[in-house]
Amino acid sequence: MSRPLPLKKKEGERLEFKGAQILHEPDKVARAVVAMLNTRGGEVWIGVREAPGRNEAEPIQDAENARTRLQDSLLDAIEPRLLHDEIELSIEGEDQGGPVLRVGVRPDSRRQPYAVLGRHGARYFWRRFDNRTVPLTREEIGSRFQPAASAKTGAQPPGRRMEPPEILRGERERLLSRGRRFAVVLEPDVGGDLIKQRLAQTDYLSDPTCSGTPRSSYNYAHALYHGGMVAEPKKGSLQVGDESFSLGVLGSGGIRFESALDNLHSRGIIDSAGRALFGTPGFPAPDVLVPEALTGYTCSTLRLAALLLSKEDLWDRLPEGPLWAALFLTGLEGWLLPPGIGLSFGWLHEIERHRYGEEVFAEEWLALNLDDVRDHPDACGLRLLRPLYWSFGWMREDDLPAIQSVGLGPPRL
Amino acid sequence: MAISSFVEILEDQNPWWRSAARRALSYPRRRELQRQVVARIKRLDDRRALVIRGPRQVGKTVLLLQVADDLLAAGWPPANLAYFDFSDDRLQATVSPRQVAEAHPAGFDPDLPHALLLDEISRAPHWDRWLKQAVDANDGARIAATDSGAALLQAAGEESGQGRWDEAICETYSLRDFAALHAIGDEDVGVILGRDPALTERYLAVGGFPEHAHNLDLPEVRRRLRRDIADRAIRRDLTRAGVEVEQVARLFAYLMESSGAIFTAHSRARDLQADPRSIRKWLDSLLATLLVFRLEPFHSRAAARLRSAPKIFAADPGLVAAFSAAAEDNRLRGLLFEAAVYRHLREAAHELEGELSYFRAPDGLEIDFVLSMPGAIIAIEVTSSTRARSEKLRRARQAADRLGADRLLLVHGGAVAEPAEPVRQVSLTRFLADPTGAVRSEEVG
């Protein structure tokens, strides 16, 4: 069945329209597709022209032939060579003013960055920023080739599927249905067999220094201040905390850290930043994510995963990789995220550019190599955080805070 | 054109003289002492001045500026309010407090009270003689002055403040003050600590120096504290007091690393290859800086107390963390807990009109802190452990019985209360958030 044409929608990070004549310039389509492959995926519609009020469909002559030619062009023009499920070309809207072409784009984050191949071996890297296509900076390109290098290459056991396990689909729906939440979700591809009773006898969940994380940082052990450890037979997990902060460790080795979004808010910081900039007290304080909290909760949760993975005596059977990971933030509309640390100067004057415009940030599942998690948990945490920063318009690598500056102690990059 | 004359500097420091709407740099969070100073200045039936002593960088200047803000907001006539910082680097000659008091801007009304807020007053020559005369003159001057403890000590012998001024101590931030810096709107401290449970840990790590409240780069904070305290508070201030500052700095570092230990001058004299009398003199100098505090042993007889050795504590847990070579380990954690508890108990003891001491029996039974109030003795034992061991509890109960305590309170490092021990337990966070309430409370759990 044909999809409805997006005639009432506007272009955005995950949606782009091109007129039918673009088929004469397939490199421009490749550019749009690569930009989405390097961001969070989406759809490119060819034969839909954006217009005030209502978009217009431009029928494509010999649509089937055009589809085949475009597919060949994209396969030749994009590196790494596209896999069958990374793009999907379909003919749509024959009964709605079409036919037009739809290119569905679904990136595999392990294979980023994608590039458009140019003449003489040149490679062009693009990404989406809101409704625009912008080039990746040198730092961004570098960062996407680092740090979990083996996970990037997609080195998987032969025959391993490339999709997250079924359990995470339900998890995603559950998290997105809750208001004003922050969540870090980690789940091994093939669950292990964690001896939860043994884990409960350790201080691993209550004492963050066991994972090299200072107590004074924002970290997963905050959940303990909100409730003692209990075994949840139904969930097969150890649970700590309450609605405000919760930490769950599943028998599979999966970890769920959740917090009310307001726990990542600090008026004190924005007050100081406002004064630094304007010299006036009472600067109206918007909702601001504290970068120290965002980074602390994310990276410390990865450190907890690293700690558990390194303790073989906790397992009857160790989990097998990759470790699927994602961040979820709901109730985010209108929030701000400062670059660097919370008190950094020089961003409030462009405050509107960095206000989050949607209700939800839901990260695509990232497949992390288990060895990388064990050895480089902070690097993995920063990989999780990067797309969130991008979605707030912070594109440079050093917009993310340094691990030391958020109180996490010596970095494990 | 550069400002250089006294009058220009004075006018620059008092922007409300030009326009009543002008304020000094405003900091929104007030600490309890600031409210007391405002109330004190507004009380016209009390002519005594108030001298606020405190270590460097605890926020004394900000406190005075907030007092100015609040007085103006309450309708105090702007021309009858003068603030002056005697350490202003633009001053080319010494300025006396009398010059400040007699510099009346346009609109000054001699029939109304005159508030004088004098910062770093010991930089002014003969400030104490002037203060005595100004209070005796009883001409409507309402005076609050600040300075570091060490600086004021040097002048203390010259003129007695008895009957002329009261002293208040401005310590580093309490956990409540520290948490308030992280508030969203008028959030209650309990809500802030629930939202950001690491605040207590951060308070232990960086202490209550306001400048560092938002800095999570702990090694950097510790470097700064070491530099600021060792180089400025000790070397600069105590040089003027004529003591051997390098030796005092070494003694200070020792006292921080062993905060809460029983102090004997003979032992330290051996370590520092100095005379015990010098050691006692250096300790007195350090006590005057308010960077360290003494805790006397509990004795029912005063004479016995005189013969016993005191414990010496860091004024603030941040100082212990900054001067300790060890990383975060259990011993250091224990010292941080005790320094923080003592910091807050001083406040509670002041409020409850109690006296603090420690208890140690010859057979080794110990209580970390004893709060003696009219009609009640409360024993307070501190453990950084998250789980109070039965043996520790048993010994604490024995010690409390021995000293005749009416109540025993255990301050522990757990996030949540451990079940059912017949001893009142309170987590460190809850204790620091309300020390007076914790020692008063009869509740168990």
Side-chain angles (χ1 to χ4, degrees), chain A residues 76-92:
Chain A
D76 290 341
I78 294 174
E79 185 185 69
R81 184 76 174 231
L82 292 173
L83 301 175
H84 73 279
D85 56 353
E86 285 174 316
I87 61 166
E88 178 195 1
L89 269 86
S90 56
I91 299 169
E92 308 285 353

Side-chain angles (χ1 to χ4, degrees), chain A residues 164-178 183-187 235 237 239 246 248-250 254-258 324-328 330 362 365:
Chain A
E166 183 63 31
I167 180 177
L168 291 182
R169 291 194 197 151
E171 194 74 0
R172 184 187 174 95
E173 296 312 312
R174 181 184 71 81
L175 288 165
L176 296 185
S177 67
R178 309 185 67 189
V184 186
V185 179
L186 306 176
E187 186 64 40
K235 295 181 186 171
S237 65
Q239 287 291 134
S246 73
V249 178
L250 281 65
I255 296 177
R256 312 285 189 267
F257 176 83
E258 283 187 51
W324 295 95
L327 292 183
F328 296 93
T330 56
W365 294 107

